[in-house]
Amino acid sequence: MFSGLSERDWRYFSNKRFFVTGGSGFIGKWLLSALLTASRRLDLNCQIEVLTRSIQQFRASAPQIATAEGVILHQGDVRSFNFPSGSFDIIIHGATDVVAQQAPLETFSTCLDGTRRVLDFAVASDAKDLLLTSSGAVYGKHPSEPTGLVEDCFRGPDPTSILSAYGEGKRASEWLACAVGQEANIKVKIARIYAQVGPYLPLDKHFAIGNFIRDALENRDIIIRGDGTPYRSYLYAADTAIWLWRMVLHGQPGRAWNVGGSEGVSIAELAARVNVVLGSTKGVKILTPVNPDIRPDYYLPNTLRAQTELQVPTPFSLDEAILRTAKWVRILN
């Protein structure tokens, strides 16, 4: 079973009714996988209702989740879905894709209006717990230093930039969730998620590590269109799932925790690391020269709060996370 949660922890969910948005996304699939594994092994009798934009696509991408015993699928937009009947115990609000550059108004609306709709449903269904998946984007531009930002850092996105749609949407969603939670006596917990890696991560989208793993497995050169200097850290998705479930179980209501890896690496270093770990004989090509007058971009979390307050287990190393993700891809192919 997923380590990091005891049998006693998992049994808190016995006979509970869940409503999950974003269940067909990367984080959502891992949360559901962990819960379904525990429910099956411990006979928890969980009922899990999942909102998805497309039931057909969800069943195609993750049939073992979508068709699992105890799972009921609802199709709809998070901003306007019809409320399932009856009461629910736990709400997981994990919907919202990062598409700010392509459709900033749509992104902001999905963040804020979607959260408003989910909160209205939480109140109507008499839910007691709500987990909101947010993002490190709420801090805006991170300082160019390797220490990572703490949760009580009072920074924010640039309110004059349309590229701030996702960060501003998540900031507003956090405030709204905490305000409604306090008024309606719902225990709201917030996960500010940073870069992730693991099975279900798309290998053909805007996730650099996914693209690098794909290229290394296909033994072809990794192409970096930028200058390779931005710094990121990566948390393996199984660890992420445990961190989030520990928030639901042990987190203080009205509080946020950063969720991410502790080892910062530049994009260029990451590409070389993926090649070495996966034994690729190809190289790394960086298309944009480094400008020495521009400081590297950092997007790193400080996770001390999660470590101390939630007692999260030591996560997998970056190398192990890369290996495990690649093994899953090989199995699929």
Side-chain angles (χ1 to χ4, degrees), residues 141 143-145 229 291-298:
K141 184 175 177 58
S144 297
E145 55 189 42
T229 62
N291 185 337
D293 297 325
I294 299 178
R295 300 188 69 181
D297 172 69
Y298 281 77

Side-chain angles (χ1 to χ4, degrees), residues 250-329:
H250 304 296
Q252 177 183 331
R255 198 156 173 80
W257 295 268
N258 290 334
V259 179
S262 58
E263 180 186 357
V265 294
S266 73
I267 296 299
E269 292 168 345
L270 175 66
R273 183 90 157 261
V274 168
N275 271 348
V276 170
V277 170
L278 299 185
S280 173
T281 60
K282 296 297 184 178
V284 176
K285 295 183 178 179
I286 301 174
L287 302 186
T288 303
V290 174
N291 185 337
D293 297 325
I294 299 178
R295 300 188 69 181
D297 172 69
Y298 281 77
Y299 186 67
L300 304 174
N302 182 303
T303 59
L304 183 61
R305 177 182 288 186
Q307 295 170 34
T308 56
E309 295 183 2
L310 302 175
Q311 300 292 300
V312 295
T314 301
F316 288 108
S317 69
L318 176 57
D319 287 359
E320 182 66 20
I322 292 169
L323 282 170
R324 285 172 174 261
T325 305
K327 181 179 180 181
W328 179 79
V329 174

Side-chain angles (χ1 to χ4, degrees), residues 2-311:
F2 286 75
S3 61
L5 288 178
S6 66
E7 180 175 330
R8 181 180 178 182
D9 285 332
W10 286 117
R11 289 202 181 280
Y12 173 80
F13 300 132
S14 293
N15 301 309
K16 293 288 196 300
R17 194 178 185 202
F18 296 78
F19 184 75
V20 180
T21 74
S24 58
F26 175 66
I27 300 296
K29 287 173 181 173
W30 274 93
L31 284 171
L32 291 172
S33 292
L35 181 60
L36 287 168
T37 298
S39 184
R40 183 173 60 253
R41 295 185 182 180
L42 299 176
D43 194 24
L44 300 182
N45 190 37
C46 298
Q47 181 178 333
I48 309 165
E49 307 205 13
V50 182
L51 178 70
T52 177
R53 293 193 191 102
S54 171
I55 290 177
Q56 183 178 6
Q57 289 182 11
F58 189 15
R59 286 175 175 162
S61 66
Q64 72 281 11
I65 298 174
T67 62
E69 183 178 357
V71 173
I72 299 173
L73 302 182
H74 297 272
Q75 185 161 303
D77 189 301
V78 70
R79 295 166 291 184
S80 58
F81 66 92
N82 294 323
F83 291 177
S85 60
S87 61
F88 283 77
D89 301 288
I90 299 170
I91 310 291
I92 307 295
H93 179 32
T96 305
D97 292 332
V98 186
V99 292
Q101 294 188 37
Q102 291 76 23
L105 293 176
E106 181 77 3
T107 294
F108 186 82
S109 171
T110 302
C111 285
L112 189 56
D113 298 332
T115 299
R116 173 80 265 183
R117 185 68 175 169
V118 170
L119 290 168
D120 287 344
F121 172 65
V123 173
S125 64
D126 197 31
K128 298 297 185 291
D129 290 283
L130 187 145
L131 176 68
L132 171 68
T133 61
S134 186
S135 167
V138 300
Y139 302 117
K141 184 175 177 58
H142 288 43
S144 297
E145 55 189 42
T147 55
L149 287 179
V150 296
E151 290 85 349
D152 55 2
C153 172
F154 299 111
R155 303 173 66 93
D158 179 359
T160 68
S161 172
I162 62 170
L163 299 182
S164 298
Y166 184 69
E168 290 287 13
K170 286 298 189 183
R171 276 173 64 89
S173 295
E174 287 191 16
W175 179 88
L176 186 61
C178 289
V180 172
Q182 186 172 9
E183 185 176 275
N185 197 28
I186 300 172
K187 292 178 286 185
V188 171
K189 324 289 176 65
I190 298 168
R192 292 177 180 158
I193 298 175
Y194 282 74
Q196 306 287 309
V197 62
Y200 299 122
L201 184 73
L203 304 182
D204 57 354
K205 292 188 178 180
H206 57 278
F207 304 104
I209 194 168
N211 296 335
F212 296 169
I213 290 172
R214 174 203 62 202
D215 292 340
L217 289 177
E218 295 177 359
N219 204 35
R220 64 188 186 192
D221 287 336
I222 293 176
I223 307 297
I224 299 175
R225 301 194 179 281
D227 63 8
T229 62
Y231 276 77
R232 301 292 184 266
S233 64
Y234 297 87
L235 188 65
Y236 188 60
D239 293 310
T240 302
I242 293 303
W243 287 31
L244 299 191
W245 283 124
R246 289 194 69 84
M247 285 179 200
V248 175
L249 290 162
H250 304 296
Q252 177 183 331
R255 198 156 173 80
W257 295 268
N258 290 334
V259 179
S262 58
E263 180 186 357
V265 294
S266 73
I267 296 299
E269 292 168 345
L270 175 66
R273 183 90 157 261
V274 168
N275 271 348
V276 170
V277 170
L278 299 185
S280 173
T281 60
K282 296 297 184 178
V284 176
K285 295 183 178 179
I286 301 174
L287 302 186
T288 303
V290 174
N291 185 337
D293 297 325
I294 299 178
R295 300 188 69 181
D297 172 69
Y298 281 77
Y299 186 67
L300 304 174
N302 182 303
T303 59
L304 183 61
R305 177 182 288 186
Q307 295 170 34
T308 56
E309 295 183 2
L310 302 175
Q311 300 292 300

